[in-house]
Amino acid sequence: MSGAPNQFLPPPPGEFLGHPNALWNLFGSEFWERFMYYGMRAMLAVHVAAAFFAHMGDQADAQASLTYGGFTSMVYMTGILGGFVADRILGYQRSIMLGGALMSVGMFMLMAPDLTTFLIGLAFVIVGNGLFKPNISTMVGKLYAPGDARRDSGFTIFYMGINAGAALAPIICAGLIGEKYGYRWGFLTAGVGMIFGLMVFHFWRAVLGHVGGTPKGKEGWGPVMKVLAAALVLVVPVYFLLDKSEILGTLLLAMMAALVGYFIYSGIKSGDKQQLHRYIAMLSLFLACSLFWALFEQAGSSLNFLARDHVNMPTMFGWTPAFTIFQSVNAIFIIMFAPVFAMMWPALDRSNINPSIPRKFAYGLIGVALGFYILVFAIGNLQEANGKISWTMLTLCYLIHTLAELCLSPIGLSMVTKLARPEETGLAMGGWFLAVAGGNYAAGVISYFATGGGGESELSGIEQYSSVFMQLFWIGLIIGAIYFFTAPLLNKLMHGVK
């Protein structure tokens, strides 16, 4: 690769719909990778509860929630390492290919009937995702010059690729294959999707050109084999942490503290006061990110169990869909509304009324809180004769959560590429996903209590959900309001980044 480290080098010429052709390669690759992940995610908690913890009776769902939270947190937690590997050793393209291959192996291992092999498979998916997920997101940011107004729209289009895969996956992997033939065959289907993603990325690599290429001096197979060996070693501790929730929580806190320390040190060492301020703002928004995902990620755990046990499903033309179809609802809404948001932000910017990044984060937190209040209201006032709530209420919750997500998640990905130093964007993106990891870990703990974990609650099943969801409503509302009113201070720290 040529050029100074901080110099922007555009991707190969050629555009489609106003964006570089390279964006559409990343769109297609991410489509299939998310097909794999969300197909597996739709089945994970309910499969673990039924296949491995059924002997625990009414504690099966709660125990599966901790396993689910441990998995989803470490999926994002390893991104900090993947960003470092891409920045310093392999480059983004080779990191993505290696990560995808490891995830494919892991997905096929999830077909195993024993818990040990299943957890090893999850460990492979976790390690592989660390090499794949943060780096493909970082590559999107590298397609646009600093200040390019298309950047936010490009990330939103990329986000549509994520959600197109996420919309189809639960229907195909869980609803059609899993419900009819068994969830293990649903995992196989998801793994095949990852293979397709690798094929798309490899066969259309020419449009990427130098973007995400190999760092100078790191060419050849040697660095690849060293990273592969390190990844296989990392599988071992990840496997043991999957059912050690307390240790995992402590490790996450330690990594977050180290992350804060590193970026503060980096900002000071740079000698650029503005960069230090930007890192302080970025870390503050990482905190909001963690809280948002702690609430939002109830989707795959407590909301999935709620749908299974306490939601009346509709019957259309003699067909009643499986409860796992709710795992597609968020993604379907994303596809519907992401283009609206992609057009809305530039339009608001032209009118000088585009909300700042911190205000968008505040709207996201308040929105996810309001979604839970919909369920609290439905449980308290709209239970049907059988004690369940209508599918329309859960769908409305997902709609509000989706609108909240569009205010925060794609904006956050873009924010990282704007606030980080160019040579640290991979590491910073890994930091973003570490914040997501913290939220996912907290989501598992929240779901543990929502599903009656510990056996100490005197509330019935659906009332227990209502109690926990009401607490989530107040937490999201209050913290969202804090970010809303402190937005001017954070904007000042960002020094013109919008």
Side-chain angles (χ1 to χ4, degrees):
M1 295 176 62
S2 60
N6 295 344
Q7 178 183 352
F8 171 73
L9 297 174
E15 292 185 354
F16 180 68
L17 298 180
H19 289 272
N21 287 335
L23 176 66
W24 304 101
N25 174 308
L26 302 178
F27 177 100
S29 303
E30 184 72 347
F31 170 91
W32 284 112
E33 188 271 337
R34 291 292 89 181
F35 179 93
M36 177 277 296
Y37 180 77
Y38 282 98
M40 175 267 295
R41 174 182 175 270
M43 303 174 282
L44 181 58
V46 292
H47 173 72
V48 169
F52 305 122
F53 298 131
H55 63 282
M56 299 180 68
D58 62 1
Q59 293 296 298
D61 293 352
Q63 189 60 44
S65 293
L66 293 179
T67 301
Y68 173 88
F71 166 75
T72 54
S73 66
M74 283 195 285
V75 156
Y76 293 104
M77 182 175 159
T78 51
I80 193 84
L81 297 176
F84 177 84
V85 166
D87 280 338
R88 308 293 176 84
I89 304 173
L90 293 185
Y92 298 90
Q93 293 187 24
R94 294 197 298 178
S95 296
I96 287 167
M97 288 295 294
L98 180 59
L102 289 170
M103 284 192 286
S104 299
V105 171
M107 288 304 302
F108 297 135
M109 294 179 73
L110 298 188
M111 296 183 69
D114 63 289
L115 181 58
T116 298
T117 306
F118 188 89
L119 292 178
I120 293 173
L122 289 181
F124 266 88
V125 175
I126 288 166
V127 174
N129 192 83
L131 288 166
F132 189 104
K133 182 63 178 170
N135 295 322
I136 198 166
S137 299
T138 300
M139 284 184 69
V140 175
K142 290 181 177 293
L143 301 179
Y144 302 95
D148 191 330
R150 299 176 301 167
R151 182 184 294 253
D152 279 0
S153 292
F155 269 101
T156 304
I157 290 170
F158 177 71
Y159 213 64
M160 286 182 65
I162 292 175
N163 286 281
L168 284 176
I171 296 171
I172 295 174
C173 299
L176 297 179
I177 305 298
E179 286 288 328
K180 186 172 183 179
Y181 301 105
Y183 287 140
R184 59 196 299 264
W185 296 103
F187 293 130
L188 172 66
T189 307
V192 171
M194 186 66 252
I195 298 294
F196 287 160
L198 289 174
M199 293 170 63
V200 169
F201 188 81
H202 177 73
F203 289 122
W204 281 275
R205 284 175 76 176
V207 300
L208 299 173
H210 67 86
V211 177
T214 304
K216 189 175 181 180
K218 300 294 183 179
E219 300 84 357
W221 282 97
V224 176
M225 300 309 296
K226 290 177 182 178
V227 171
L228 175 59
L232 295 177
V233 170
L234 185 60
V235 164
V236 178
V238 168
Y239 161 77
F240 284 107
L241 284 171
L242 276 168
D243 63 349
K244 301 291 190 298
S245 183
E246 299 83 0
I247 297 176
L248 177 58
T250 302
L251 180 60
L252 270 168
L253 287 174
M255 290 183 68
M256 289 177 178
L259 177 79
V260 171
Y262 173 83
F263 280 112
I264 296 298
Y265 171 76
S266 177
I268 294 172
K269 187 179 178 182
S270 71
D272 184 346
K273 192 174 182 180
Q274 288 190 2
Q275 185 59 57
L276 173 61
H277 289 171
R278 285 173 176 165
Y279 276 151
I280 292 172
M282 184 180 77
L283 293 170
S284 300
L285 292 170
F286 280 3
L287 180 62
C289 166
S290 285
L291 177 61
F292 176 84
W293 291 109
L295 275 60
F296 183 90
E297 273 299 324
Q298 296 307 303
S301 49
S302 68
L303 292 182
N304 210 12
F305 288 125
L306 178 76
R308 185 193 65 187
D309 298 331
H310 303 293
V311 173
N312 284 323
M313 301 299 295
T315 298
M316 299 172 288
F317 307 106
W319 173 68
T320 302
F323 70 92
T324 52
I325 198 170
F326 280 109
Q327 298 300 300
S328 292
V329 170
N330 165 250
I332 292 170
F333 283 143
I334 288 282
I335 294 168
M336 292 170 60
F337 290 102
V340 177
F341 277 70
M343 293 183 291
M344 180 178 70
W345 299 135
L348 293 176
D349 193 61
R350 288 191 293 270
S351 301
N352 293 319
I353 54 173
N354 190 18
S356 66
I357 291 173
R359 282 274 162 86
K360 290 173 183 173
F361 273 55
Y363 295 148
L365 287 166
I366 293 169
V368 77
L370 292 174
F372 283 110
Y373 186 76
I374 293 295
L375 295 178
V376 172
F377 180 82
I379 292 170
N381 300 278
L382 301 175
Q383 286 189 40
E384 299 180 1
N386 60 0
K388 298 183 178 183
I389 62 173
S390 169
W391 64 274
T392 58
M393 293 295 102
L394 185 53
T395 302
L396 181 57
C397 170
Y398 275 114
L399 172 59
I400 296 173
H401 280 189
T402 298
L403 299 179
E405 181 185 5
L406 285 169
C407 289
L408 186 143
S409 188
I411 303 305
L413 294 173
S414 180
M415 173 271 295
V416 171
T417 66
K418 294 175 181 178
L419 292 179
R421 296 165 64 195
E423 62 269 30
E424 291 179 327
T425 51
L427 190 61
M429 191 64 76
W432 168 264
F433 287 111
L434 180 62
V436 177
N440 276 268
Y441 173 81
V445 176
I446 291 168
S447 180
Y448 175 82
F449 290 107
T451 54
E456 299 175 358
S457 175
E458 297 179 358
L459 299 173
S460 65
I462 197 168
E463 276 74 29
Q464 177 67 12
Y465 284 106
S466 180
S467 174
V468 173
F469 291 165
M470 191 64 181
Q471 295 175 55
L472 299 185
F473 164 69
W474 283 114
I475 291 171
L477 189 66
I478 292 170
I479 303 300
I482 290 173
Y483 274 90
F484 182 88
F485 289 112
T486 59
L489 173 60
L490 290 172
N491 289 328
K492 187 176 181 181
L493 291 172
M494 291 163 68
H495 291 281
V497 170
K498 297 180 180 179

